[in-house]
Amino acid sequence: MLYPIMTDSRMVFDLSGIWDFALGEEKLIDDFAEIKAYEPIAVPASYNDQKDINRFRNHYGWAYYRKIFTLPKILKNERIVLRFDAVTHTAVVYLNGKIAGEHKGGFLPFEIDITDKVVLGEEQELFVAVDNKINHSTLPIGNENSVAFFGSDNPGIPSVEAGKRYQSRRNIPNFDFFNFAGINRSVRIFTTPKSYIDDITVIPSVDGKNGIIDYSVDTVGSEEKIIVTVYDSQGELSAISNGKSGRIIIQNARLWNPYPDIPYLYKLKVQYGSDNYSLDVGIRTVEVSGDKLLINGKPFYFKGAGKHEDSYFCGRGLNLCLDVKDINLLKLMGANSFRTSHYPYAEEMYQLCDREGIVIIDETSAVGIGGGANPYKEYSMHAHHRDVIRDLINRDKNHPSVIMWSLGNEPELERFSQDAYDYWHSLYELAHSLDPQNRPVTVVCCQNDYTKDITTRTMDVICINRYYGWYNLSGDLDAACYALDIELDFWQKIGKPVIITEYGADAVAGIHSNVPKMFSEEYQAEYFLRINDCLDKRNFIIGEHPWNFADFDTFDGCMRVGGNKKGIFTRAREPKLLAHYLKKRWNSIPNFNYKNN
Ligand code: BDP
């Protein structure tokens, strides 16, 4: 799917602004006339923290957005498309009182062709119903009417049991981040000519000094001719080709390399009839070889963190300023990568990373597939998961910054090991079959009995989240390192590259202790110092992603004090002691050949 841009054939109208808003109930209403009063709300942004009112913060069910707009009559010969970059989690879109489209999944874009549905030159009413409910069919997974993820259910105590029955219906996430909802990303109307470029796919490769771009263009319409031109970063013509698909060779190509090397980008322009579209293209290769992941043929070392889209007031809403700041902080720290834990991020972030040379492990919203039951038999997210993978790859396939796909985070892999294997392997194969660049595929595994988990070891790159010294062997870093070493012996025998995609300790900024006590900044820094010593001894460990880049908001529970505090930075992006240690460490670790066999 192409990102909406303005070209000499395309217009983009941004519908961001203050919209009309009303909170609803569990069920979608039939008649919007029932809504008696609207109040202002900012779009794009989550609605939860825009008003300091409990029913906003802890809302359960549908919410309604309304926007009146008028399109100019000059669009009469154009194709007109309404595009939502992300509505969390389920959306029903109405135009002038009629359903125009529906979408499930809160982190990927969807488009509705409204050419025949809008009246130009007249006020149009756009109405968006948004459902924030999460359950066993959604991704991420929620547990409706169940015990809280971070709570204790104290089974059998009559008063507690009675209290549970008294509780109102609510969202109970099976994951550790706040269920921010609403129109979280941009809403735009864009136009194309009636014959238009529908999609572009590029596959870069390298042949000696030359760069190769295999491309294909999907079009709709009766035009015949397609011209593809490639320009260098100075705007000089590098190559030209004709036709729906083809191979472009760029002599003495400059490659896209991760920061601090140069992430060189070419501009690929496609002309089809009167339609024009242009795309940034980076020439680079990615492959797994033995226990290494190679970028441009060289063993790469991942330095960075798992992140969240999470900020004060906006919740999970688009925050471009914070994106720029976070990438800058990563660069200052000498980092080169992050994982889009635990859902696909806004497209602007990937564009920024293409430009800044930050490597992305691109994750689906499949988090929480576990929690007691056999999710592979008892949950119903299967078909949706396949749709999410298809749409994610379709959206992000051309980004040079995207180096690997993560099918999901911390599913149940140990107890129903064969069911898990069957489920995740069919998705692994799906992802490989869908990705034109055939990047490595993984699923991120939680702390489990790795000897029983038969799935993780079969992924292209093994990604493990480990909390030795925090959730287990708490406070005892000697024992934690000893235990981690035993597990690493196991992975060494598997002979594949391993990334520690999460490890960490909560530290409340400002809590200090002379001896490293849990929750202090000193304990957090000491934890990484000790664990990293273990990782440095192993050549097959090809990356370290502390959890988390910054403190983030999550839901109420007795395990969290004002959010998850495992950040290298606070939620306001102030450094903890850890940030200074990591900055020194990462600035002295090269991108390539950090570990040689
Ligand atoms: C991991 C999860 C992550 C949590 C983290 C934690 O992948 O989402 O936030 O634990 O507990 O298991 O801090």
Side-chain angles (χ1 to χ4, degrees):
M1 180 187 274
L2 296 175
Y3 183 79
I5 57 166
M6 286 193 282
T7 69
D8 66 3
S9 61
R10 293 170 173 240
M11 287 179 260
V12 180
F13 302 87
D14 188 350
L15 297 186
S16 302
I18 308 288
W19 289 37
D20 297 332
F21 182 78
L23 287 175
E25 305 289 335
E26 185 176 343
K27 292 211 160 42
L28 181 64
I29 51 175
D30 297 327
D31 181 1
F32 305 122
E34 284 176 33
I35 302 173
K36 294 289 173 256
Y38 289 97
E39 52 187 316
I41 206 91
V43 171
S46 305
Y47 55 76
N48 307 79
D49 284 357
Q50 290 193 46
K51 317 242 162 153
D52 291 297
I53 304 171
N54 190 38
R55 72 192 162 86
F56 270 74
R57 172 80 182 169
N58 289 314
H59 178 61
Y60 172 78
W62 291 90
Y64 304 102
Y65 287 78
R66 187 177 67 165
K67 175 84 178 165
I68 309 291
F69 66 92
T70 305
L71 286 174
K73 286 185 179 162
I74 49 161
L75 302 183
K76 65 178 184 306
N77 295 322
E78 305 301 309
R79 168 177 167 261
I80 304 172
V81 183
L82 175 61
R83 189 197 211 256
F84 293 87
D85 288 6
V87 181
T88 315
H89 296 282
T90 307
V92 186
V93 179
Y94 304 78
L95 199 57
N96 300 323
K98 290 201 188 101
I99 293 190
E102 294 180 48
H103 186 258
K104 177 175 176 175
F107 304 92
L108 287 167
F110 61 99
E111 294 179 349
I112 304 168
D113 188 326
I114 55 168
T115 315
D116 300 327
K117 298 188 174 90
V118 276
V119 183
L120 300 177
E122 288 180 19
E123 280 196 344
Q124 306 293 292
E125 188 191 47
L126 174 62
F127 197 90
V128 187
V130 183
D131 189 8
N132 78 354
K133 294 200 290 293
I134 42 173
N135 53 43
H136 291 165
S137 79
T138 60
L139 293 175
I141 298 277
N143 297 304
E144 283 178 322
N145 277 340
S146 170
V147 293
F149 189 51
F150 285 149
S152 159
D153 56 356
N154 276 334
I157 300 179
S159 50
V160 174
E161 292 302 326
K164 278 193 243 164
R165 285 193 295 278
Y166 184 76
Q167 284 184 314
S168 53
R169 278 173 76 75
R170 64 210 166 112
N171 276 311
I172 302 170
N174 206 19
F175 49 86
D176 176 25
F177 50 90
F178 193 78
N179 186 36
F180 284 118
I183 302 184
N184 275 336
R185 297 183 194 150
S186 300
V187 185
R188 282 172 283 214
I189 291 174
F190 69 91
T191 68
T192 70
K194 289 277 166 61
S195 289
Y196 61 94
I197 300 159
D198 192 36
D199 202 4
I200 302 169
T201 302
V202 294
I203 308 173
S205 56
V206 177
D207 180 17
K209 290 196 154 180
N210 295 339
I212 298 172
I213 303 172
D214 288 305
Y215 74 88
S216 64
V217 182
D218 295 341
T219 56
V220 175
S222 50
E223 305 291 332
E224 292 287 305
K225 206 165 169 183
I226 297 175
I227 303 170
V228 180
T229 37
V230 179
Y231 297 86
D232 68 15
S233 64
Q234 303 301 310
E236 298 291 328
L237 185 68
S238 298
I240 186 156
S241 178
N242 288 302
K244 218 176 149 40
S245 60
R247 168 165 285 201
I248 294 173
I249 297 178
I250 297 177
Q251 311 286 337
N252 294 316
R254 307 263 324 254
L255 301 188
W256 187 94
N257 269 301
Y259 174 83
D261 300 320
I262 294 171
Y264 197 88
L265 291 175
Y266 288 89
K267 186 73 82 187
L268 180 132
K269 294 193 176 173
V270 177
Q271 192 185 335
Y272 167 66
S274 64
D275 196 14
N276 280 294
Y277 192 89
S278 66
L279 194 73
D280 283 338
V281 175
I283 299 175
R284 57 101 188 88
T285 59
V286 186
E287 71 190 287
V288 171
S289 170
D291 61 6
K292 298 284 179 280
L293 180 139
L294 312 181
I295 297 182
N296 296 332
K298 295 172 290 178
F300 179 68
Y301 192 76
F302 291 77
K303 304 173 280 176
K307 280 186 99 285
H308 265 299
E309 285 186 321
D310 169 88
S311 65
Y312 288 112
F313 321 124
C314 306
R316 194 140 288 113
L318 182 72
N319 193 331
L320 296 176
C321 176
L322 193 62
D323 286 350
V324 170
K325 190 177 180 72
D326 282 359
I327 296 302
N328 190 49
L329 284 172
L330 281 172
K331 288 171 69 178
L332 286 174
M333 303 247 299
N336 56 19
S337 54
F338 69 89
R339 175 169 59 117
T340 69
S341 36
H342 294 309
Y343 36 79
Y345 288 7
E347 288 148 279
E348 292 80 1
M349 184 56 143
Y350 299 75
Q351 293 162 1
L352 182 64
C353 291
D354 289 346
R355 194 171 156 181
E356 295 273 46
I358 298 295
V359 163
I360 295 176
I361 300 174
D362 203 0
E363 187 155 285
T364 73
S365 47
V367 54
I369 301 182
N374 178 345
Y376 309 107
K377 293 254 155 67
E378 292 169 46
Y379 294 2
S380 53
M381 71 290 159
H382 300 52
H384 180 49
H385 201 164
R386 297 179 84 82
D387 289 345
V388 167
I389 291 170
R390 185 170 296 111
D391 292 351
L392 174 71
I393 294 178
N394 186 26
R395 188 192 73 161
D396 294 343
K397 59 182 182 285
N398 293 326
H399 289 290
S401 55
V402 174
I403 293 294
M404 177 155 63
W405 308 108
S406 161
L407 303 169
N409 182 67
E410 297 199 343
E412 173 60 64
L413 296 171
E414 175 196 323
R415 287 189 309 130
F416 312 100
S417 56
Q418 189 59 45
D419 292 338
Y421 177 87
D422 295 344
Y423 182 87
W424 292 96
H425 248 268
S426 72
L427 298 180
Y428 169 92
E429 275 154 21
L430 177 72
H432 272 299
S433 72
L434 290 171
D435 180 14
Q437 296 188 12
N438 199 23
R439 295 163 178 90
V441 175
T442 194
V443 58
V444 174
C445 141
C446 71
Q447 186 118 33
N448 65 3
D449 181 347
Y450 43 88
T451 61
K452 295 197 181 116
D453 162 1
I454 54 171
T455 306
T456 302
R457 65 186 75 169
T458 66
M459 294 290 138
D460 298 323
V461 174
I462 289 161
C463 289
I464 53 175
N465 298 347
R466 291 298 181 263
Y467 287 94
Y468 293 105
W470 187 255
Y471 288 120
N472 47 55
L473 305 168
S474 312
D476 186 340
L477 292 173
D478 290 335
C481 291
Y482 182 80
L484 173 63
D485 254 347
I486 291 174
E487 178 172 352
L488 294 182
D489 285 344
F490 171 87
W491 292 113
Q492 186 146 3
K493 290 196 200 94
I494 301 289
K496 289 192 171 184
V498 174
I499 303 176
I500 313 297
T501 29
E502 281 186 32
Y503 60 132
D506 285 80
V508 181
I511 293 199
H512 293 285
S513 64
N514 289 318
V515 288
K517 283 200 261 177
M518 287 176 80
F519 292 100
S520 69
E521 292 191 38
E522 283 75 10
Y523 185 83
Q524 189 192 34
E526 180 78 8
Y527 169 98
F528 281 98
L529 197 77
R530 296 291 307 275
I531 302 284
N532 287 346
D533 270 352
C534 302
L535 305 183
D536 278 340
K537 289 187 197 117
R538 310 278 179 157
N539 283 340
F540 64 92
I541 303 281
I542 60 149
E544 54 191 68
H545 277 180
W547 186 255
N548 186 285
F549 175 77
D551 293 348
F552 59 90
D553 201 1
T554 187
F555 49 91
D556 286 340
C558 50
M559 296 262 288
R560 296 290 180 259
V561 189
N564 185 310
K565 299 286 195 243
K566 294 193 185 67
I568 303 166
F569 296 91
T570 65
R571 200 176 185 217
R573 275 37 179 186
E574 292 147 345
K576 297 186 195 163
L577 194 58
L578 172 63
H580 301 287
Y581 154 69
L582 287 177
K583 185 176 179 188
K584 209 162 156 211
R585 173 177 166 80
W586 286 343
N587 275 301
S588 68
I589 294 179
N591 275 350
F592 296 111
N593 295 309
Y594 176 46
K595 292 177 178 175
N596 286 317
N597 285 324

